[in-house]
Amino acid sequence: QGSVDCPNLEFEYGDADGHGAELAELYSYTEEPELSHNRRCFEEDFHTQVPDRRWLELDRAQQKAYIMHLLDGLEVVNRDKRLRVARAILYLAQGVFGDCDNEGDVLHWSRHNSFLLYQLGTFSAFLELLNMEIENSQACSSALRKPAISLADSTELRVLLSVMYLMVENIRVEQETDPPEWKTCRETFRMELSFPVHTEEPFALLLFTMVTKFCSGHAPHFPMKKVLLLLWKVLLFTLGGFEALQTMKVRRREELGLPPLPEDSIQVVRGMRAASPPTYAIELVEQQQQQQQQQQKRGHRSRRPLMKQDSLDIYNERDPFKNDEGGVDEEENDDVDSGIEGELDLMERDAIIPAMPAQRLPIERVSFPKGLPWAPKVRQKDIEHFLEASRNKFIGFTLGQDTETLIGLPRPIHESVKTLKQHKYVSISDVQIKNEEELEKCPMSLGEEEVQETPCEVLYRAMLYNLPQYMIALLKILLAAAPTSKAKTDSINILADVLPEEMPITVLQSMKLGIDVNRHKEIIVKSISALLLLLLKHFKLNHIYQFEYVSQHLVFANCIPLILKFFNQNIMSYIAAKNSISVLDYPHCTVCDLPELTAESLEAGDNNQFCWRNLFSCINLLRILNKLTKWKHSRTMMLVVFKSAPILKRALKVKQAMMQLYVLKLLKIQTKYLGRQWRKSNMKTMSAIYQKVRHRMNDDWAYGNDIDARPWDFQAEECTLRANIEAFNSRRYDKPQDSEFAPVDNCLQSVLGQRLELPEDFHYSYELWLEREVFSQPIRWEELLHCQ
């Protein structure tokens, strides 16, 4: 399917999908019967406590009293009774749908009840129950003995995680109509999740531990989709979404005394258009060509305006460059005829429009962007390289890192340096790296570093020592959920919380389960891609070496080939996938009578031109790949070695501006390594890169003369980075008591007067120790005196 057939996708990228859609993805279709089970558990108990009344009719005080009664029920020893009470609480969090008439009411009461439940301490109660369930060795061992794990093995965990997810998601989402007490409640909850009060670690760490326990094979019954969704939403809630990040970045630059950002990247990307010529441009060219042919037949000399040759090439099937040098490699030619190059070229179509006869232009003019979307940036390093090359050329010697002295250089070089300095951009990371170098050089004179206790800092400190395992576990699950992965016997089973106890017997049931499994995998990919991107972005803002530590472990765990493997599929069909049955989605299925499902209705799906979660996942994965490879030549070479260019080019068929931007960025950084022939064969892609991606003034990405492209530096680069990360981690987080800089107490009286913490068994073996270590050892007084 070429990109001519793909319409522009009206997709708005954000922190998450619509509120209803995010709640719907918590449940698999196999779990649907449990909704009515939750309702029964609630109503049986409710009618004994409050006869002849509905939940919606109770006033706030009565609702609170009933919730307190339920929370008391969680204290019982009997496991089954406890589960019934937990289900009743889950029904409240699900919006008491039995009393509602439409989906809006269900969502409204779900939010109302979530705030009420939180205010009465439900989250803390469920956190204790969750800890008990995680440590439940009996459930783990029985799951390990089973040949096939199903929904029944994770019932308690699913109920607990569902309540916690609904509370986090409902409280996290802000609405204009929220009363002031809800706003205070939201802030309190955020603080509780970010800065632990009762436990030593933030809540997110418990979920990370669940992920690693699941991947190690010790707890195969954990409902991984729910754990990952909850983990993502907790990070989104405590750390903040993309717009919060932008605000924090602006504030941080002000604190460091850096000039403001040249533009708001979120707004620039939102304002971009997908690279594809308007349909009428093609028609106009065809009309013009027909006119020219008719005029030539009549013998008239055609008076056509001059047009760039390249502009016409957009609509030609063959690229004129292709016959210049030999044949094109197969990997370069695999999708050239799909027309993607022509579709991407915005720069050159501007030349076509004015060239048309005036009367042929349609009334509705399309407004094309004036100039390039991004302000150019220059690094300090770029100015140094430029001056070093200029001095070598004109004077014959260099002045190191001096960027001020311009004596002996011709006037044009002065102008060039002035222009470079005008666009010089100092990032927060540059300042942090410089500070870190100074702290390493002068630990005594600069003293202790003041570290701000942000939610991000607390999380990094908690994750630090097991961070490699967390990253490996997330990538293992991502690999198992990727649509390109083949089912292997040794891969982890991520379907524990979607497979029913009794496998389907009819074709219809099999189709429904097939859709459910695919949807389940898509949701897992969505949550992992979103939470990894959030972690990378927040750690980068908090401290560059925290970001580098996470990045390096992702790279070591083969994240780059994994993402490329993910994109090595028919990405158009993945984005247009219809793995959902809208009539079974929550909250629709709770208030509407379900029609009889048929094979046709299952195959029909919804009428959307794309699947929001899949497009969201693709953009997140591309952004992660960009974060891992930016300014890292060794990792860029991995993109080249894994033949990513044709895979990424296929992803350009998706007509969505943001996705195209991140694909073009990835192509740009490796262009210099792909060779002259590739560049000649892909001129339209090169043109799209020029038009959409930010300019770096000295960056000759299109030629391959770059000073940084020397292949022998790659291994050293990663090693130096690793050494810097280890130095940072040990300086900031390893606090040895017996440091060489610690003051020494020389006073005999105070040393002998110190209370020492002795082990419990010390008293039992004290006399034996005295006999062996003191009385039986001869004291050489002469040597002691000599030492003095």
Side-chain angles (χ1 to χ4, degrees):
Q1 184 181 2
S3 55
V4 174
D5 305 321
C6 169
N8 281 325
L9 304 182
E10 296 299 320
F11 169 81
E12 190 167 329
Y13 184 80
D15 292 321
D17 203 347
H19 187 51
E22 289 296 339
L23 296 186
E25 288 181 353
L26 178 64
Y27 314 102
S28 57
Y29 298 140
T30 327
E31 283 179 282
E32 188 211 337
E34 293 191 17
L35 291 168
S36 48
H37 188 176
N38 299 340
R39 181 181 173 180
R40 275 198 310 277
C41 290
F42 172 82
E43 287 177 349
E44 283 169 15
D45 185 74
F46 186 69
H47 292 317
T48 58
Q49 298 295 315
V50 193
D52 307 321
R53 298 286 294 278
R54 294 164 67 212
W55 174 261
L56 311 190
E57 295 166 358
L58 301 184
D59 61 27
R60 194 174 175 78
Q62 290 169 320
Q63 288 179 344
K64 280 187 171 183
Y66 180 69
I67 290 174
M68 290 307 288
H69 154 74
L70 285 178
L71 291 175
D72 288 341
L74 286 177
E75 301 292 327
V76 298
V77 177
N78 186 309
R79 196 176 164 84
D80 293 333
K81 283 182 183 173
R82 212 166 52 221
L83 179 61
R84 289 181 70 77
V85 174
R87 281 193 181 283
I89 293 173
L90 175 55
Y91 176 69
L92 281 174
Q94 285 170 340
V96 286
F97 48 79
D99 298 349
C100 298
D101 301 322
N102 56 49
E103 294 178 34
D105 284 352
V106 177
L107 295 176
H108 165 76
W109 282 102
S110 180
R111 289 194 81 222
H112 174 273
N113 294 344
S114 293
F115 277 97
L116 204 56
L117 286 166
Y118 172 67
Q119 286 162 355
L120 296 172
T122 312
F123 195 85
S124 309
F126 271 71
L127 183 54
E128 284 179 27
L129 290 174
L130 182 64
N131 274 309
M132 277 170 54
E133 273 308 316
I134 292 169
E135 298 304 321
N136 185 347
S137 53
Q138 192 181 346
C140 292
S141 55
S142 70
L144 284 166
R145 283 197 301 271
K146 284 190 176 180
I149 298 169
S150 68
L151 275 173
D153 295 294
S154 59
T155 307
E156 284 90 349
L157 278 167
R158 280 186 297 105
V159 170
L160 297 175
L161 289 165
S162 296
V163 171
M164 294 170 110
Y165 178 85
L166 287 166
M167 286 174 71
V168 169
E169 183 61 4
N170 279 321
I171 295 173
R172 180 188 75 82
V173 174
E174 295 181 45
Q175 289 182 4
E176 289 175 11
T177 52
D178 289 354
E181 64 177 70
W182 282 15
K183 289 177 182 171
T184 5
C185 191
R186 181 177 295 116
E187 282 313 305
T188 317
F189 193 23
R190 183 185 278 128
M191 295 297 281
E192 188 184 316
L193 291 173
S194 310
F195 306 102
V197 184
H198 308 297
T199 55
E200 294 296 315
E201 54 198 29
F203 177 57
L205 202 77
L206 177 70
L207 299 173
F208 271 118
T209 313
M210 286 184 79
V211 173
T212 46
K213 200 171 176 184
F214 171 80
C215 283
S216 64
H218 297 310
H221 64 298
F222 281 1
M224 232 349 84
K225 183 188 81 173
K226 284 182 169 54
V227 172
L228 291 165
L229 278 172
L230 179 54
L231 176 55
W232 165 38
K233 290 302 165 64
V234 166
L235 293 178
L236 189 56
F237 187 25
T238 55
L239 304 181
F242 299 129
E243 288 189 8
L245 258 164
Q246 188 73 8
T247 315
M248 285 156 68
K249 195 173 182 180
V250 170
R251 193 173 64 241
R252 197 69 182 275
R253 288 186 70 82
E254 276 176 21
E255 288 167 6
L256 294 170
L258 295 172
L261 291 165
E263 72 275 289
D264 183 344
S265 50
I266 295 175
Q267 297 308 321
V268 174
V269 173
R270 278 185 185 158
M272 276 188 174
R273 293 180 52 206
S276 135
T279 49
Y280 73 80
I282 298 174
E283 291 160 14
L284 288 171
V285 170
E286 286 172 355
Q287 285 173 9
Q288 190 189 30
Q289 286 172 346
Q290 285 168 6
Q291 284 174 350
Q292 288 162 6
Q293 286 167 3
Q294 286 167 3
Q295 285 172 347
Q296 283 165 357
K297 282 178 187 173
R298 293 185 195 128
H300 290 209
R301 191 177 168 200
S302 63
R303 290 180 301 169
R304 63 175 178 179
L306 286 169
M307 294 169 82
K308 280 167 57 184
Q309 176 61 43
D310 281 359
S311 303
L312 293 173
D313 295 338
I314 301 173
Y315 310 105
N316 289 349
E317 286 181 9
R318 293 189 308 128
D319 191 325
F321 288 118
K322 280 191 195 156
N323 298 327
D324 283 9
E325 287 183 23
V328 182
D329 291 352
E330 279 182 27
E331 70 166 78
E332 290 159 1
N333 205 20
D334 59 355
D335 53 352
V336 168
D337 55 356
S338 70
I340 184 64
E341 262 71 76
E343 298 309 313
L344 281 167
D345 193 8
L346 265 176
M347 289 301 292
E348 295 173 353
R349 75 159 177 230
D350 286 332
I352 296 171
I353 307 298
M356 303 302 157
Q359 69 273 19
R360 288 282 179 192
L361 281 171
I363 298 156
E364 291 184 89
R365 291 294 302 270
V366 175
S367 57
F368 294 116
K370 303 287 181 200
L372 299 169
W374 304 99
K377 282 182 183 177
V378 178
R379 295 182 299 168
Q380 176 69 17
K381 196 176 168 185
D382 297 331
I383 301 174
E384 287 168 12
H385 281 167
F386 177 73
L387 275 169
E388 188 180 2
S390 305
R391 285 173 184 144
N392 265 330
K393 183 177 177 182
F394 294 106
I395 308 172
F397 63 88
T398 59
L399 298 174
Q401 294 182 334
D402 182 349
T403 57
E404 301 304 317
T405 314
L406 301 176
I407 297 164
L409 295 173
R411 193 80 217 149
I413 299 294
H414 287 233
E415 292 297 321
S416 301
V417 172
K418 185 183 171 188
T419 309
L420 288 173
K421 283 184 177 175
Q422 273 174 356
H423 293 95
K424 180 180 164 184
Y425 175 76
V426 180
S427 68
I428 296 170
S429 304
D430 296 337
V431 177
Q432 289 169 342
I433 289 169
K434 198 174 178 187
N435 289 347
E436 195 57 33
E437 284 172 2
E438 286 173 8
L439 281 164
E440 282 292 322
K441 275 183 197 166
C442 324
M444 295 292 283
S445 56
L446 291 174
E448 198 72 22
E449 181 195 16
E450 277 188 38
V451 182
Q452 212 175 343
E453 198 74 346
T454 59
C456 192
E457 183 64 32
V458 171
L459 180 67
Y460 181 78
R461 200 184 313 123
M463 286 177 70
L464 180 62
Y465 294 106
N466 290 319
L467 198 136
Q469 288 91 305
Y470 300 145
M471 295 305 116
I472 290 168
L474 287 172
L475 293 182
K476 266 187 180 179
I477 299 170
L478 185 60
L479 175 64
T484 47
S485 294
K486 303 286 179 287
K488 288 181 185 171
T489 47
D490 58 342
S491 70
I492 48 176
N493 174 22
I494 52 168
L495 304 176
D497 50 336
V498 72
L499 296 176
E501 279 187 276
E502 295 172 7
M503 291 309 277
I505 42 174
T506 67
V507 174
L508 195 66
Q509 286 173 332
S510 299
M511 282 178 72
K512 182 181 157 189
L513 184 60
I515 290 171
D516 207 1
V517 165
N518 289 339
R519 174 177 176 268
H520 182 80
K521 287 181 174 181
E522 288 172 5
I523 295 167
I524 287 176
V525 171
K526 171 187 170 181
S527 53
I528 292 178
S529 66
L531 78 88
L532 280 177
L533 181 62
L534 264 183
L535 280 177
L536 288 171
K537 285 187 80 66
H538 276 282
F539 284 152
K540 188 169 187 185
L541 184 59
N542 200 47
H543 199 290
I544 182 66
Y545 285 136
Q546 295 179 348
F547 160 80
E548 295 292 8
Y549 188 53
V550 177
S551 299
Q552 204 161 52
H553 281 293
L554 284 172
V555 172
F556 292 160
N558 279 337
C559 184
I560 293 175
L562 170 54
I563 294 176
L564 292 174
K565 180 184 170 74
F566 180 89
F567 279 97
N568 195 16
Q569 58 169 315
N570 184 343
I571 212 73
M572 280 304 304
S573 65
Y574 183 71
I575 279 166
K578 296 279 191 289
N579 288 316
S580 56
I581 309 164
S582 48
V583 290
L584 294 181
D585 279 338
Y586 168 91
H588 183 277
C589 64
T590 59
V591 286
C592 302
D593 294 327
L594 296 183
E596 193 178 344
L597 291 177
T598 61
E600 289 73 30
S601 67
L602 287 180
E603 282 177 346
D606 50 31
N607 298 322
N608 295 336
Q609 56 179 171
F610 61 90
C611 172
W612 196 96
R613 70 172 159 263
N614 290 355
L615 191 43
F616 177 70
S617 303
C618 289
I619 292 174
N620 287 341
L621 290 169
L622 287 167
R623 293 184 77 183
I624 291 166
L625 203 49
N626 267 293
K627 289 232 164 293
L628 297 181
T629 51
K630 190 178 181 182
W631 304 121
K632 303 283 189 303
H633 303 291
S634 52
R635 297 174 194 176
T636 306
M637 283 307 288
M638 286 176 80
L639 291 178
V640 179
V641 168
F642 290 119
K643 291 192 166 62
S644 66
I647 294 170
L648 292 168
K649 268 178 63 187
R650 278 199 295 276
L652 286 172
K653 291 178 183 177
V654 180
K655 277 191 190 168
Q656 205 285 321
M658 193 171 190
M659 182 159 165
Q660 287 180 344
L661 170 70
Y662 289 109
V663 172
L664 291 170
K665 278 185 170 193
L666 287 165
L667 285 168
K668 178 186 172 180
I669 58 171
Q670 56 177 312
T671 302
K672 61 170 81 101
Y673 305 114
L674 292 174
R676 186 159 163 255
Q677 183 59 53
W678 187 91
R679 294 195 289 273
K680 287 171 77 176
S681 306
N682 294 279
M683 286 308 288
K684 305 304 180 293
T685 308
M686 302 282 280
S687 176
I689 291 171
Y690 177 83
Q691 200 267 334
K692 275 184 171 290
V693 182
R694 187 191 299 280
H695 251 23
R696 298 270 170 183
M697 286 197 167
N698 292 24
D699 184 12
D700 56 352
W701 59 272
Y703 303 100
N705 305 328
D706 195 62
I707 192 164
D708 288 333
R710 293 175 298 195
W712 56 84
D713 285 342
F714 296 151
Q715 202 62 39
E717 183 186 62
E718 287 288 350
C719 291
T720 311
L721 180 61
R722 193 169 187 176
N724 290 340
I725 295 165
E726 283 173 0
F728 163 77
N729 281 336
S730 66
R731 182 189 64 74
R732 193 185 271 194
Y733 303 106
D734 295 348
K735 303 266 184 215
Q737 296 303 308
D738 54 344
S739 163
E740 58 182 300
F741 301 122
V744 178
D745 188 354
N746 290 317
C747 174
L748 184 68
Q749 215 165 2
S750 71
V751 169
L752 290 174
Q754 283 176 8
R755 286 192 66 80
L756 288 174
E757 286 293 324
L758 299 169
E760 286 177 20
D761 58 347
F762 178 76
H763 302 289
Y764 303 114
S765 56
Y766 176 58
E767 289 180 4
L768 185 66
W769 177 84
L770 269 177
E771 184 61 44
R772 193 176 64 226
E773 299 293 330
V774 181
F775 300 142
S776 62
Q777 297 291 331
I779 299 169
R780 299 188 182 90
W781 296 104
E782 295 82 3
E783 283 185 27
L784 280 172
L785 289 169
H786 184 64
C787 291
Q788 288 289 322

